[in-house]
Amino acid sequence: MTIDPDMAEIAKVFFQESREGLDVMESGLLSLGATADGESINTIFRAAHSIKGGSATFGFGEVAAFTHGVETLLDEMRNGVRPVTAEAIQTLLQSCDCLREMIAATEAEQPLDQDRIATLNGDLKNILGERPHDAPVPVPTAAASIEAAANTEAAGWRIAFAPVADLLRLRNEPTRMFAELRRLGAFVARADVSRIPPLDALDPESCYLSWDIEITGQIPRPKLDEVFDWVDSGCRLEISSIGNSAAVESEQAGPPPEAQPGATQAAPPSQVERAPPASAPVQKASGDSGSIRVATEKLDNIINLVGELLITQSMLSGFADGIDPNELDRLRQGLSQLARNTRELQESVMQIRMLPISFAFNRFPRIVHDLSRKLSKKVELKLTGEGTELDKTVLEKISDPLVHLVRNALDHGLETPEQRTAAGKPETGTIELGAFHEGGNIIIEVRDDGAGLNKAKILRKARERGLVPMDQDLTDEQIDNLIFMPGFSTADQISDVSGRGVGMDVVRRNINDLGGHVQISSKEGRGSTIRIRLPLTLAILDGQLVRVGKEVYIISLLAIVETIQVERERVNTLAGRTEVFRLREEYLPVVKLCDQFGVEPDSRSAEDGLLVVVEADGKRVGVLVDDLLAQQQVVIKSLESNFKSVSGIAGATILGDGTVALIIDVPDLIRSAAKSGSGAVAAHAA
Amino acid sequence: MNTAKAAASADKSVNDTSEQYLTFMLAGEEYGVDILRVQEIKGWDKVTRIPHTADYVLGVINLRGAVVPILDLRRRFGLETIDFGPTTVVIVVRVGGGRDERTVGMVVDAVSEVYNVDAADTKPPPDVCGSVDTVFVKALATIEEKMLILLDIDRLIGNSIADELVAGAAAA
């Protein structure tokens, strides 16, 4: 069905809620595997029930019918009639997937995957068909009852509609209902104006009218219900078919529509006894309480404003140094209070964007469950630090790389139960996914107790592919981190789970794009640990201000390893052009910002300036600047919004004096340095 | 801006075909931009240079929290450059629409007038039109015996930034 534009907004909420409901069902089902208590089945049931009710309300009959099958099975499990078997859980999980697709297809107004629905419906029926010995009378499947309802048609309907006075204030609009009715068929409406008070007592926002409507045509009853779905609370609504006066159904002061069992909406008027509505206490699926939905755009707006406030405040502080000394103290006091307030305001606004990492972690029980079945491995997944919060954007972008890492750990890391027993390890492997804060960063660790990386094999492959020169010796850590090189895979066999050799490099690139680092450490036979370090937010950056000539640039503190004064004897020239600097055992290429950005510096020779050693993608270079200025938190502004992206520049910010300073894109700078360098010394691998 | 809009719409009720243009001077020629695109006019101030950009991109400024690029129209049109003087101003315009809307500043020699230009008084540009590439010229208009060059600001700024992409890529 096509959705009325006015309804589309509400339907959107339904789609969102359904997805959340499905997540609840899925996590519930996965925890059922271990313990089958009544309350967790209840939670799953309620989620399914809400989806069914909602989809019926919006006229998504197929979704409602399918959910009904799921619900029936859950109901029997809840009542203890049906045992909770692994097979049933598997079917229910697949049904969740199928429902997710159905909802997505419905939202996109695309056709549903009928084959899959039919197959799963068959599976559900099969499970339901295996009646236990003391089975009660079979519950009719919704597919049947809804079809029955849809087929019940009459020559016409008589509708008596007497809304409450609050109708308009409740944001319902009778004209919209009439417009909807007109789409169904021709009708005659008589308005009862007897309740309209004299003009001086008339409240323009109240509804005093009631209507008597006769509509003709072969209209299915659910279509009529749909029209009046949103007004039933407190209104008198009687719908009777013309020529069938016996069946009168009235709905008075009904519960709010979303809480109504779908069966009610689908009930045909002639049906004397209604299908017994599921006896579940009607409750909203318990989600995170006290949360609101806010468009990210609005939040970003506030964040920008707060950023500006911060700028104004630091501008005022700058002024304070040059005015009347008598007034100065009070002004200083006021300013320091303003500084404190803005800082606090900024922190709390930034908090709004922060979400617990459980949003990303919640997918993993399911992924691990499915994969371990497919690979016939026994795995226990441990999640820690799910409450650790990070920025929504970072969270969204880290999900896929994490999935990749966990899959890899399961596929390549963990051994089969037989191999594990042979190695004297417990049959069940462990994958640990943990998150915690560490000094303004968030650390995510993926740890497995599997076979670990085969260092000899990795080194051999890397040499075969020319990624590492034959004569170069690498430390264990360096060898492990080779797996992040592009085009590297040690898997002998390519499975459909992982091992195509695209992946780890993509994972690293994604993480670097977020301004983070990834590292792996592993012990052969004991397992591997992958450690991801990410900034908490993308909107604010801890920056080091550096000066080159008259220009000020900002380098992210996260990228800076150290800053050193340059001694002449440690700078060497390669091929007469490229300068390298010896830092302990490494030779670092020297990148002169003045040349990169075409700025006139104080001095071109390295020993007059300072060398800021920066690292990205596991490579280090020394960036030559004239001077180091302050360290401060800066609000990142995009250059693209009014201009375009510029190579070597990650963005811009506004300093306390109101001028714009550019933020250096360290990974990009290192890449272009490697390109423009002689090639003999590409940036040294760390 | 709002008053400009109001004035323009009031004017429209009188004469449907007339539009208001803000005119400015550039090397002795008078150019006009649709006044509804003009956000504000401000004095010339120091900019922050951006590396790897064409010479007509002078840099970016902070416009109440937004980072706004500043283009030098003389350089853009390949005219001789002059030192910025007291009449030098930056006309801040809004180009594109929807998600692509950009705020960009243009440095010009001086602002001149606001004219009501009737569509009947405009002529399509000839193939050769002063120093300016004719694709950026919407029309020529004659007002008080003077010639106005009405600019297609969307195309001018859009192309400038798109060319920039090419120039930037070549530089990188």
Side-chain angles (χ1 to χ4, degrees), chain A residues 256-277:
Chain A
E258 72 266 27
Q260 230 166 17
T264 313
Q265 267 115 18
S270 55
Q271 192 181 338
V272 182
E273 50 176 304
R274 288 195 202 168

Side-chain angles (χ1 to χ4, degrees), chain A residues 3 43 49 66 111 140 143 188 231 271 273 324 375 467 486 556 642:
Chain A
I3 307 166
T43 312
H49 188 71
F66 185 80
V188 182
V231 298
Q271 192 181 338
E273 50 176 304
D324 182 5
L375 299 167
L467 298 172
S556 162
N642 284 319

Side-chain angles (χ1 to χ4, degrees), chain A residues 439-507:
Chain A
N441 294 312
I442 183 169
I443 311 282
I444 305 172
E445 284 188 343
V446 183
R447 185 178 307 147
D448 68 69
D449 67 345
L453 294 176
N454 185 336
K455 293 187 207 300
K457 194 164 151 191
I458 290 172
L459 193 57
R460 202 179 62 233
K461 289 238 173 183
R463 292 210 160 123
E464 275 170 22
R465 273 164 222 203
L467 298 172
V468 175
M470 282 300 175
D471 49 354
Q472 193 178 349
D473 282 329
L474 296 177
T475 64
D476 282 1
E477 196 195 329
Q478 284 173 332
I479 296 173
D480 284 346
N481 285 291
L482 283 174
I483 62 166
F484 290 113
M485 302 276 271
F488 195 90
S489 171
T490 55
D492 296 323
Q493 275 182 331
I494 289 170
S495 67
D496 70 335
V497 180
S498 51
R500 285 191 191 83
V502 287
M504 289 309 252
D505 62 316
V506 178
V507 166

